[in-house]
């Protein structure tokens, strides 16, 4: 039995010498309930009283030896694994680092922010409103009653007879005038919806920025000065503006507003289609009926309003000839801005 114990020790030493030894399997083989050492100990009953203490002590020595050998091998394997991991994952600190890609604002968002900053600098406040709107605020309160011809030019998304997706941000102006007494000086940026077929210059969803000023003594000259300041800041100090008579139901008098082409200086080029001017917005003096409908006395107060498409300003500013580029999320296109 003594020789058997020494054989078990020798076998354990041999097995543990292998670099990739399975330590759990060896522990079960030699020390487990059905292991080789346990089998030897079960034969202790056949020994004489003199042999039992000797063999018992030797068996305990062998068990302790194997347990210690397994523990040392486990530490060695752990150290070897760590050394290999450090080697495999080593870094050359002398190599240049990778510059992470940093996101930036979409050109539409950037231009809208630029526009907002310009008007904030002139003392305007930003006011937002619901995109799902009542017909009253989208049309009737803006002097556009039922069967008015102006409704034919706006293919509106109706949800019910009285609820729709707003076709302009003008309802925000009405809601503001209902809640706030003059003086009022606001801009209302946001998404609007019209049932337009998608092409190079139309989309069923687009963005507008409208403005409203109401106070005593407001004139067309104030409107012109405000828009001229905006145009020079947005397109360059050399930019001029031009008013052309127009008709809007919610303003009277009304005008389409052009800016001189900032590429050719008014001489005529591809951007301005040879005209030297580029249309950017509509504007006018707030119609007395609109003021009266918001309980503002048009004999005491006057005001002006304007509205422009953020997509149009973006396309003009960057020379983009197709609105669809702004919505396709092509990184090759967006990286230019």
């Amino acid at each position: 039995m003594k020789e058997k114990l020494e054989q078990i020790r020798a076998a354990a030493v041999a097995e543990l010498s292998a670099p990739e030894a399975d330590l759990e399997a060896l522990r079960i083989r030699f020390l487990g309930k059905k292991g080789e050492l346990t089998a030897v100990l079960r034969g202790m009953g056949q020994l004489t009283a003199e042999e039992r203490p000797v063999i018992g002590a030797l068996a305990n020595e062998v068990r302790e030896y194997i347990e210690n050998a397994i523990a040392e091998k486990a530490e060695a394997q752990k150290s070897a694994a760590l050394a290999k991991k450090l080697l495999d994952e080593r870094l050359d600190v002398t190599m240049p680092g990778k510059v992470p890609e940093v996101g930036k604002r979409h050109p539409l968002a950037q231009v809208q922010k630029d526009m907002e900053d310009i008007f904030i600098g002139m003392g305007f406040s930003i006011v937002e409103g619901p995109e799902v709107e009542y017909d009253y605020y989208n049309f009737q309160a803006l002097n556009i009653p039922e069967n008015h011809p102006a409704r034919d030019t706006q293919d509106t998304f109706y949800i019910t007879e009285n609820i729709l997706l707003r076709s302009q941000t003008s309802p925000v102006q009405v809601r503001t005038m209902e809640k706030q007494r003059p003086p009022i000086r606001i801009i209302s940026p946001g998404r609007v919806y019209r049932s337009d077929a998608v092409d190079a210059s139309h989309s069923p969803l687009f963005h507008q920025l409208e403005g409203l000023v109401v106070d005593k003594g407001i004139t067309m000259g104030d409107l012109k000065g405000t828009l001229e300041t905006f145009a020079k800041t947005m397109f360059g100090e050399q930019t001029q503006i031009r008013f052309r008579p127009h008709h809007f139901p919610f303003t009277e008098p009304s005008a389409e507003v052009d800016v001189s082409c900032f590429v050719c200086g008014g001489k005529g080029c591809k951007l301005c289609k040879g005209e030297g001017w580029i249309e950017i917005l509509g504007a006018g003096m707030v119609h007395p009926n609109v003021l009266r409908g918001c309980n503002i006395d048009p004999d005491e107060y006057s005001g002006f309003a304007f509205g422009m498409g953020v997509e149009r300003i973006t396309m003009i500013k960057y020379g983009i000839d197709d609105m669809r580029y702004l919505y396709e999320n092509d990184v090759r296109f967006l990286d230019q801005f």
Side-chain angles (χ1 to χ4, degrees):
M1 189 171 287
K2 183 177 180 180
E3 292 178 359
K4 181 63 176 176
L5 290 172
E6 293 296 345
Q7 289 174 0
I8 292 172
R9 189 206 304 259
V13 170
E15 293 285 348
L16 288 168
S17 64
E20 302 297 329
D22 187 339
L23 302 184
E24 181 61 18
L26 290 176
R27 188 192 64 79
I28 294 172
R29 173 184 165 186
F30 293 111
L31 307 177
K33 291 182 178 180
K34 297 182 181 180
E36 296 181 15
L37 186 59
T38 304
V40 171
L41 294 175
R42 283 180 182 147
M44 293 278 287
Q46 302 173 4
L47 300 175
T48 65
E50 293 79 11
E51 291 176 324
R52 285 174 190 167
V54 176
I55 297 302
L58 180 58
N60 288 334
E61 180 188 333
V62 171
R63 176 183 292 279
E64 185 177 354
Y65 179 87
I66 294 174
E67 287 177 344
N68 292 337
I70 289 175
E72 291 175 3
K73 186 67 175 181
E75 284 297 321
Q77 287 184 345
K78 185 178 179 181
S79 298
L82 177 59
K84 183 177 184 302
K85 183 177 182 181
L86 292 174
L87 183 63
D88 292 342
E89 298 179 4
R90 67 188 184 280
L91 298 175
D92 184 352
V93 296
T94 65
M95 291 182 65
K98 294 183 178 179
V99 179
E101 292 189 16
V102 179
K104 51 189 175 182
R105 284 192 176 94
H106 188 281
L108 275 177
Q110 182 58 57
V111 169
Q112 179 173 312
K113 185 178 184 304
D114 292 343
M115 295 165 68
E116 292 172 354
D117 288 345
I118 293 170
F119 286 108
I120 288 173
M122 288 190 278
F124 285 74
S125 299
I126 298 176
V127 180
E128 297 180 341
E131 295 178 19
V132 179
E133 187 57 274
Y134 289 106
D135 178 275
Y136 171 79
Y137 287 105
N138 198 78
F139 289 123
Q140 296 181 44
L142 293 167
N143 202 38
I144 312 176
E146 286 188 63
N147 303 318
H148 193 286
R151 293 205 187 195
D152 296 336
T153 63
Q154 297 188 24
D155 295 327
T156 308
F157 289 106
Y158 275 90
I159 299 173
T160 69
E161 288 187 2
N162 296 316
I163 298 176
L164 47 81
L165 297 181
R166 67 181 182 186
S167 59
Q168 54 212 1
T169 60
S170 304
V172 178
Q173 300 179 19
V174 177
R175 289 178 176 274
T176 300
M177 286 189 285
E178 286 183 343
K179 297 176 183 178
Q180 179 181 332
R181 295 296 87 192
I184 296 170
R185 188 178 297 172
I186 65 163
I187 54 171
S188 52
R191 288 185 293 261
V192 298
Y193 306 84
R194 295 182 189 177
S195 183
D196 288 329
V198 176
D199 59 28
S201 57
H202 295 86
S203 169
L205 179 152
F206 56 101
H207 300 75
Q208 275 191 343
L209 186 145
E210 298 194 14
L212 171 72
V213 172
V214 179
D215 202 352
K216 295 180 179 180
I218 298 298
T219 68
M220 200 78 167
D222 298 311
L223 171 61
K224 184 175 185 296
T226 299
L227 296 181
E228 193 168 57
T229 299
F230 166 76
K232 289 180 178 295
T233 308
M234 176 62 70
F235 301 113
E237 193 60 35
Q238 76 289 347
T239 306
Q240 302 296 317
I241 66 171
R242 177 179 72 175
F243 280 32
R244 289 181 289 107
H246 195 71
H247 170 71
F248 297 115
F250 33 84
T251 54
E252 179 60 39
S254 304
E256 294 280 13
V257 181
D258 306 330
V259 296
S260 58
C261 181
F262 53 87
V263 173
C264 66
K267 297 177 181 178
C269 67
K270 180 180 178 181
L271 180 63
C272 62
K273 300 178 181 178
E275 296 182 2
W277 295 91
I278 304 171
E279 179 187 326
I280 62 166
L281 58 87
M285 301 300 292
V286 180
H287 198 290
N289 288 346
V290 176
L291 294 174
R292 196 174 290 114
C294 297
N295 294 318
I296 297 175
D297 186 354
D299 294 328
E300 183 178 1
Y301 294 99
S302 59
F304 64 76
F306 56 86
M308 63 191 89
V310 179
E311 280 84 352
R312 181 162 184 77
I313 300 297
T314 303
M315 292 171 70
I316 293 171
K317 183 176 179 66
Y318 293 118
I320 300 170
D321 58 7
D322 194 322
M323 185 190 296
R324 289 169 290 192
Y325 293 147
L326 296 171
Y327 302 118
E328 291 175 348
N329 295 324
D330 189 328
V331 176
R332 296 170 300 176
F333 170 77
L334 297 176
D335 272 346
Q336 301 175 75
F337 306 98

